[in-house]
Amino acid sequence: MAFTMLVSLYTSRVVLNTLGVVDYGINNVVGGTVTFLTFLVFSMNTATQRFLNVAMGKNDEDEVRHVFSISVTIHFIILVFVLIIGEIVGLWLLYNKLVIPADRMTAAFWLFQFTMVSTCTTIMSIPYNAEVIAHEKMGIYAWLSMLDVVLKLVVVYLLVLSPADKLITFGFLTMCTFILNRTLYTIYCKRNFKECKYSIHFPRKLFKEMVVFASWDLFGVFAWACATQGATILLNMFFGPTVNAARGIAGTVLGAVKGFSGNFTTALNPAITKAYAAKDFSYMNKLMYSGSKLVFILLFTIMLPLFIKCHYVLELWLNIVPEYSVSFIRILLVQTLVVTMWSPLFVCGLATGKIKSFGLITSCLNICQIVVCYIILKCNASPVFVVSALAIWEIMAYSVQFYTLSRLTNFIYKDYLFKVELRSLLVLVISSLLSYPILMHLQNNLIMLVMGCVITSIFSLLFSYLFLLDKMEKSFVKKIMIKIIKK
């Protein structure tokens, strides 16, 4: 993930400098439009992983095979739906609502088509990705992720050399990397997992259960898509592609930072669901608490120096720094830290299968978020104020799920508050107060930046060990450190 983050940041810099601010903003908003149309994919991805993990937790091989076949069938239906809606609604948005310079409309059209092909490829690969994660084969997951990053380097190299239109070239080459990477996932699964053989014969009852689960999750993902991609489109309509470029830069930085915790939570999710299926609630709670702590430590250790030295890091990273980028990154870093820290708890809620009860209120609040965004924009608010308001609203929306989770499981919020949240807040405050004056007085050069990152990492890790971890977790850390020292 360290390799992935560094390469992602480098490729983003080259792409921004090669495309320019306007084309980079167009790429962000067009990609966001297609992503908005693929909310179906995310709901079925969640449903597939949940049912695969439950079947594996029960050691039912027939059910695992049926879940895979049902998933392939549903994803093909989704693909057809996305193609039809995408080519109608997506192109209508492109030509009638998005603010794109007239001389770049042709390039935007081809970028849209290439993104649609990439999306359709992703849709049909979801069942295979879910198989890799459900079997907890994180090694192959890591290697294919690294291959994807290497392919992005190749794309950047060819983009710089290409004499053709840069935006069209970037869209085409990105599509090729998607197709290759997803094909490799499919080949690996077919060779290693015996259940990855499609059959039209599967239990209709299981099919109905998956569709009902996915339908309610679909409502939640649709709400999320409205909140995130809808805001991107509204910002484009009110401020043009320059603000989208700043939001795109912020999204790239967040993607790189979340990568460290993202793969950890991806590996943790099957274990939580299997523990619930096996009715091992003690182990499930242990995974949730420890998972939240580790997500916080991973994210906070990375984001603290970035938050303080954000402007210099962007100057070092980019030759072109879009306006609002620094403010967007800082706001979204705080939002991401809070919401991602809660992710192991949300997985537990999905594991219960009672997704209607678990996510209904949050989904409704997320849909309202786009209305709030439009009202704020109509009041002539600045982009920074809009993004701040949306971040606060999203944190409030997700916090509602604590109440629902306590009703569905034996989760006790007060216990979680004192053992995880307040201790995390203590680590955040102490580490930030000690780190801020040190980093602000360091000179702006690469050596001092690295030194500052080391200092902040020591603070965050030390205080996390002292105040956040319990006795069992501290004992585990000590054993790991002794092994490392002996080696």
Side-chain angles (χ1 to χ4, degrees):
M1 289 313 302
F3 172 73
T4 299
M5 183 184 76
L6 292 173
V7 174
S8 297
L9 294 176
Y10 170 74
T11 54
S12 299
R13 167 185 173 167
V14 177
V15 170
L16 174 61
N17 291 332
T18 305
L19 295 181
V21 173
V22 173
D23 275 6
Y24 191 87
I26 292 172
N27 178 64
N28 178 255
V29 73
V30 170
T33 303
V34 177
T35 302
F36 178 81
L37 297 171
T38 58
F39 53 85
L40 282 166
V41 179
F42 297 102
S43 61
M44 270 314 302
N45 186 22
T46 303
T48 302
Q49 287 192 28
R50 188 264 174 189
F51 280 88
L52 279 174
N53 291 329
V54 168
M56 290 176 181
K58 296 187 294 186
N59 294 315
D60 190 334
E61 294 184 3
D62 289 336
E63 186 172 330
V64 173
R65 188 173 63 256
H66 292 323
V67 169
F68 174 79
S69 296
I70 292 170
S71 177
V72 171
T73 301
I74 296 176
H75 277 88
F76 180 75
I77 296 171
I78 292 174
L79 184 147
V80 175
F81 177 82
V82 168
L83 270 177
I84 295 172
I85 298 299
E87 293 297 332
I88 297 174
V89 178
L91 289 179
W92 176 79
L93 285 171
L94 181 67
Y95 282 103
N96 295 280
K97 293 299 179 182
L98 300 184
V99 179
I100 297 173
D103 61 332
R104 302 305 296 149
M105 283 303 300
T106 300
F109 169 81
W110 284 109
L111 176 66
F112 180 88
Q113 298 300 335
F114 292 142
T115 307
M116 284 293 297
V117 174
S118 300
T119 300
C120 291
T121 304
T122 301
I123 290 173
M124 292 312 299
S125 72
I126 290 296
Y128 299 96
N129 291 28
E131 284 283 345
V132 171
I133 295 171
H135 282 277
E136 300 184 53
K137 299 294 184 181
M138 302 314 296
I140 189 65
Y141 184 81
W143 281 112
L144 289 176
S145 296
M146 288 181 68
L147 174 63
D148 185 53
V149 172
V150 172
L151 290 174
K152 288 179 180 178
L153 277 176
V154 175
V155 167
V156 167
Y157 177 72
L158 295 176
L159 180 65
V160 174
L161 295 180
S162 175
D165 186 287
K166 300 295 184 182
L167 189 57
I168 296 176
T169 302
F170 180 69
F172 174 75
L173 293 175
T174 302
M175 176 190 71
C176 293
T177 64
F178 265 89
I179 293 173
L180 177 59
N181 191 269
R182 303 306 174 183
T183 301
L184 291 175
Y185 266 106
T186 303
I187 293 172
Y188 175 82
C189 290
K190 285 184 175 294
R191 288 185 176 180
N192 292 275
F193 307 136
K194 58 185 179 181
E195 70 267 17
C196 291
K197 294 180 180 179
Y198 179 76
S199 173
I200 194 66
H201 304 290
F202 44 75
R204 298 297 180 264
K205 181 181 178 182
L206 182 60
F207 179 87
K208 181 180 178 181
E209 288 178 5
M210 288 186 66
V211 170
V212 170
F213 181 95
S215 298
W216 280 109
D217 189 55
L218 168 63
F219 180 60
V221 177
F222 172 74
W224 170 83
C226 285
T228 55
Q229 304 306 331
T232 298
I233 294 172
L234 284 176
L235 286 171
N236 173 265
M237 293 170 61
F238 279 83
F239 298 106
T242 302
V243 171
N244 288 120
R247 191 174 172 87
I249 290 295
T252 301
V253 173
L254 284 176
V257 172
K258 287 175 67 177
F260 281 89
S261 64
N263 270 9
F264 171 74
T265 53
T266 298
L268 187 68
N269 295 350
I272 293 175
T273 306
K274 290 175 184 177
Y276 179 84
K279 300 188 185 304
D280 190 350
F281 300 119
S282 175
Y283 182 56
M284 182 187 73
N285 284 332
K286 178 183 175 183
L287 287 172
M288 287 195 300
Y289 280 53
S290 297
S292 291
K293 293 176 184 179
L294 288 172
V295 169
F296 170 82
I297 294 169
L298 287 168
L299 273 180
F300 181 65
T301 302
I302 299 165
M303 67 166 277
L304 180 57
L306 178 59
F307 186 94
I308 297 173
K309 301 292 288 185
C310 187
H311 194 275
Y312 173 65
V313 171
L314 286 185
E315 287 180 344
L316 188 66
W317 171 36
L318 305 170
N319 291 331
I320 306 171
V321 181
E323 189 180 4
Y324 305 116
S325 296
V326 174
S327 299
F328 284 2
I329 290 172
R330 285 175 171 163
I331 294 165
L332 295 177
L333 278 175
V334 175
Q335 172 192 334
T336 302
L337 178 66
V338 175
V339 175
T340 308
M341 177 183 169
W342 295 339
S343 56
L345 280 67
F346 301 154
V347 174
C348 176
L350 295 176
T352 65
K354 300 174 183 178
I355 195 168
K356 176 182 176 181
S357 302
F358 182 64
L360 184 60
I361 299 176
T362 298
S363 300
C364 292
L365 289 173
N366 277 334
I367 289 178
C368 293
Q369 187 178 142
I370 197 65
V371 179
V372 173
C373 179
Y374 182 77
I375 293 172
I376 295 173
L377 286 168
K378 290 295 287 185
C379 294
N380 297 318
S382 70
V384 174
F385 183 84
V386 174
V387 173
S388 301
L390 294 180
I392 295 171
W393 187 277
E394 181 169 334
I395 291 172
M396 292 171 55
Y398 279 102
S399 65
V400 173
Q401 293 186 341
F402 287 119
Y403 169 72
T404 311
L405 187 63
S406 64
R407 290 173 48 235
L408 297 178
T409 67
N410 61 346
F411 173 76
I412 303 173
Y413 176 66
K414 287 183 179 179
D415 189 49
Y416 181 82
L417 175 65
F418 286 104
K419 290 184 178 180
V420 180
E421 291 189 327
L422 291 180
R423 292 185 180 187
S424 298
L425 181 61
L426 179 63
V427 173
L428 184 149
V429 172
I430 296 175
S431 301
S432 300
L433 289 176
L434 291 175
S435 299
Y436 184 81
I438 295 175
L439 263 67
M440 291 305 294
H441 283 87
L442 291 177
Q443 294 180 351
N444 283 341
N445 59 63
L446 187 57
I447 296 176
M448 291 294 103
L449 179 63
V450 173
M451 185 182 297
C453 291
V454 172
I455 293 171
T456 58
S457 296
I458 291 173
F459 284 149
S460 60
L461 294 175
L462 175 62
F463 294 124
S464 293
Y465 178 83
L466 293 175
F467 302 123
L468 183 56
L469 303 185
D470 60 28
K471 290 182 179 180
M472 187 177 296
E473 292 160 348
K474 287 179 180 178
S475 176
F476 178 77
V477 171
K478 287 178 182 178
K479 290 179 181 178
I480 295 297
M481 292 305 296
I482 290 172
K483 285 183 180 179
I484 293 173
I485 292 170
K486 285 182 177 180
K487 287 183 178 180

